[in-house]
Amino acid sequence: MSDLTKELKEKLFLKRKNGLLTASEEEITKANDYCEGYKSFLNSAKTEREAVKTAVALAEKNGFTPFDRSKSYKSGDKIYFNNRGKTVAFAVIGEEPCESGINITAAHIDSPRLDLKPNPLYEEIELGLFKTHYYGGIKKYQWPTTPLSLHGVFALKDGSVIDVNIGEDENDPKFVVNDLLPHLASEQSKRTLAEGIKGEELNVLIGSRPFKDDEGSELVKLNILKILNEKYGITETDFLSAELEMVPAFKSCDIGFDRSMIGSYGQDDRVCAYPALTAIMNVKNPKKTALAILADKEEIGSCGNTGLESDFLAHIIGDLTKMQGGDTSVAIRNSACLSADVNAGLDPTFSDVHERKNASMLNYGVVVTKYTGARGKSGTSDASAEYVAKIRDLLDKNGIIWQTGELGKVDIGGGGTVAVYIANMGIDVVDLGVPVLSMHAPFETTAKFDVYMCYRAMYTFMQG
Ligand code: MN
Ligand code: MN
């Protein structure tokens, strides 16, 4: 190869390189240190409610206070909006009025899991079980024979709300969905993978000891209710107004001899929620108002009053803008957003579902996804070239290592994020997040370096 060829290639070709080869040792150490906090967050925030609690506690420590309509806030003030304990937004007021636009980052804090049905408890063959209804896109066969913990609330008629968290402490009991032994699974083995375990087979084993009596039926169920009544003061009817979620009971951990990766439940999308949260904590006196929103219900289509399809975000922008005597629609029109969500990392075992030139790879940095959707980009917000150019410039100028990604080959499948709902408001938005392996599985894998680059992108964007 002649020098000219080399020179031209260097100048003209798109360069893709592993971030761990281009970043400084110092930066890599920072990334590893940063992820220690991320791993703790994963363990204390396994559900949307727990994520909101953990985030609010951190925010209050950092001087954020709940938004109060009667107050007027000045540049640099830090406030938060808690929507029903399941979605939360944090804002740092900018020097410029909200009408000049707000820099928004949006991530989600719900993850695929097994919800309990409204009437979940039953006894069969002298074993106690819960009926579940899965939440979000899961491969059902992945959920049996893995230890589960129970999280959520009982809401009682007197207005009180009782928190439930069983299975996270080392000494806590855990729960499990059982599967058929291979010796007797010849019929089951003929099922397709999608039907390997069916929705109505995701029944959770929760007890086997009968209440001691010489006669009577459902004594195991009775004994379980007795335990729950003693612990929480509830009866079977109270399950009707509860939100109880079964999630994997294991903790986050390092993956690999080199400890370069993280394994955990719920990384989609806590792997972006934690960077958005820690970034807004560190934003100081931004030019434009900075807003980080951690939303519920993304995994089932962002619907409902805690999902981003609702007007919740528009109302927040309204609150902030009207407080300054401004016009909400002007503020919305001038705002910009990074929709912080994961992309599918290239897995050597399943690489044929990806088109390699446009697939994201572990350790190649934060991934910018111009569009998601399915088939002919159906149901996506396709970010404008102009907006992607702005984000490119911001990332490059600040030495943030990033890559581009598409969610798999064109005809293979597809997906979506909250970007489309934010775009529908009239806001410029692009997806930016972390590549994940085994997305939506009970145990997902990410690379530490990418998590840190995601943090740096969120921070740089909101600090302005
Ligand atoms: Mn997601
Ligand atoms: Mn997801």
Side-chain angles (χ1 to χ4, degrees):
M1 190 162 60
S2 74
D3 284 352
L4 179 62
T5 310
K6 220 172 147 186
E7 194 189 312
L8 280 174
K9 277 189 170 177
E10 181 63 28
K11 189 177 155 194
L12 300 176
F13 277 14
L14 165 70
K15 286 176 258 329
R16 302 184 76 198
K17 210 167 177 190
N18 190 315
L20 295 177
L21 293 175
T22 50
S24 68
E25 253 340 284
E26 195 195 347
E27 188 86 326
I28 294 168
T29 305
K30 272 190 193 165
N32 293 340
D33 293 347
Y34 175 78
C35 285
E36 290 305 304
Y38 171 49
K39 284 192 290 178
S40 322
F41 179 77
L42 285 166
N43 295 339
S44 65
K46 285 197 171 180
T47 65
E48 58 284 349
R49 285 179 189 269
E50 289 175 0
V52 168
K53 269 195 183 154
T54 308
V56 166
L58 180 70
E60 287 186 341
K61 252 190 235 163
N62 282 278
F64 284 77
T65 56
F67 175 74
D68 179 347
R69 289 180 63 94
S70 66
K71 283 189 184 154
S72 74
Y73 296 93
K74 55 180 194 320
S75 163
D77 282 352
K78 303 169 183 183
I79 50 185
Y80 70 88
F81 301 79
N82 185 341
N83 180 4
R84 297 170 171 84
K86 295 196 266 189
T87 287
V88 65
F90 302 96
V92 182
I93 307 295
E95 286 166 21
E96 294 176 15
C98 290
E99 276 192 349
S100 74
I102 296 174
N103 286 331
I104 304 164
T105 59
H108 69 92
I109 46 176
D110 61 318
S111 294
R113 60 183 190 242
L114 305 179
D115 284 348
L116 297 199
K117 290 192 183 189
N119 180 17
L121 179 59
Y122 70 106
E123 172 176 340
E124 207 171 318
I125 316 179
E126 290 168 62
L127 294 173
L129 298 118
F130 276 147
K131 291 298 295 181
T132 65
H133 195 140
Y134 61 92
Y135 172 97
I138 63 166
K139 290 166 96 175
K140 292 182 279 266
Y141 74 85
Q142 292 176 334
W143 289 74
T145 66
T146 193
L148 301 171
S149 56
L150 180 66
H151 300 240
V153 295
F154 285 103
L156 303 183
K157 287 200 283 183
D158 66 4
S160 60
V161 176
I162 299 162
D163 280 316
V164 176
N165 182 315
I166 308 175
E168 292 301 327
D169 192 275
E170 232 170 82
N171 300 313
D172 277 0
K174 294 174 178 46
F175 311 96
V176 69
V177 172
N178 285 288
D179 196 1
L180 197 51
L181 63 165
H183 316 64
L184 301 178
S186 59
E187 283 306 312
Q188 186 196 32
S189 301
K190 290 176 195 154
R191 297 182 187 176
T192 61
L193 196 58
E195 292 254 293
I197 290 287
K198 298 175 188 176
E200 293 296 349
E201 291 170 341
L202 290 169
N203 303 318
V204 186
L205 185 63
I206 55 167
S208 70
R209 180 172 179 165
F211 180 74
K212 226 173 198 160
D213 195 331
D214 292 339
E215 48 195 305
S217 60
E218 298 191 291
L219 295 176
V220 173
K221 174 176 161 178
L222 179 64
N223 196 48
I224 289 166
L225 277 170
K226 187 170 164 283
I227 292 167
L228 290 174
N229 183 263
E230 281 162 7
K231 194 169 161 86
Y232 300 113
I234 60 113
T235 67
E236 190 176 13
T237 315
D238 294 320
F239 278 101
L240 299 178
S241 55
E243 278 175 14
L244 295 162
E245 307 170 3
M246 285 282 177
V247 300
F250 34 67
K251 307 275 184 232
S252 61
C253 63
D254 288 344
I255 296 284
F257 290 114
D258 52 18
R259 296 181 172 266
S260 59
M261 296 165 286
I262 294 171
S264 174
Y265 164 69
Q267 296 206 68
D268 174 10
D269 184 33
R270 288 173 188 84
V271 75
C272 299
Y274 183 73
L277 171 66
T278 46
I280 191 82
M281 292 301 118
N282 290 331
V283 166
K284 282 189 185 69
N285 302 311
K287 237 194 204 127
K288 289 188 178 186
T289 294
L291 182 78
I293 185 160
L294 310 182
D296 182 29
K297 296 287 181 284
E298 193 278 339
E299 293 296 356
I300 57 169
S302 294
C303 36
N305 60 9
T306 54
L308 269 175
E309 198 183 1
S310 82
D311 289 336
F312 174 62
L313 176 58
H315 292 160
I316 289 178
I317 297 175
D319 283 341
L320 293 172
T321 310
K322 284 184 230 161
M323 165 188 89
Q324 302 171 337
D327 184 319
T328 306
S329 51
V330 175
I332 288 177
R333 198 176 297 138
N334 289 328
S335 292
C337 178
L338 291 179
S339 160
D341 210 341
V342 297
N343 201 328
L346 198 51
D347 181 335
T349 310
F350 302 105
S351 61
D352 56 342
V353 299
H354 295 278
E355 184 272 291
R356 287 201 182 206
K357 283 175 67 62
N358 289 281
S360 61
M361 284 166 58
L362 262 63
N363 291 317
Y364 274 60
V366 66
V367 49
V368 176
T369 307
K370 189 173 180 291
Y371 51 83
T372 56
R375 304 176 303 280
K377 300 192 180 182
S378 184
T380 187
S381 145
D382 195 346
S384 74
E386 291 86 343
Y387 187 59
V388 176
K390 261 191 209 172
I391 299 301
R392 249 181 83 189
D393 183 49
L394 180 82
L395 297 173
D396 286 343
K397 244 189 338 220
N398 290 281
I400 297 164
I401 294 171
W402 68 281
Q403 57 183 322
T404 185
E406 245 200 330
L407 188 64
K409 277 181 181 164
V410 174
D411 286 329
I412 285 271
T417 66
V418 300
V420 64
Y421 305 108
I422 291 163
N424 285 349
M425 294 169 72
I427 294 175
D428 270 326
V429 57
V430 69
D431 280 304
L432 180 146
V434 175
V436 178
L437 303 182
S438 305
M439 193 198 294
H440 284 206
F443 195 73
E444 304 168 301
T445 302
T446 58
K448 291 179 179 177
F449 182 75
D450 302 329
V451 183
Y452 184 60
M453 286 301 134
C454 184
Y455 163 76
R456 287 202 52 211
M458 299 285 126
Y459 172 75
T460 307
F461 179 75
M462 290 192 290
Q463 182 62 52

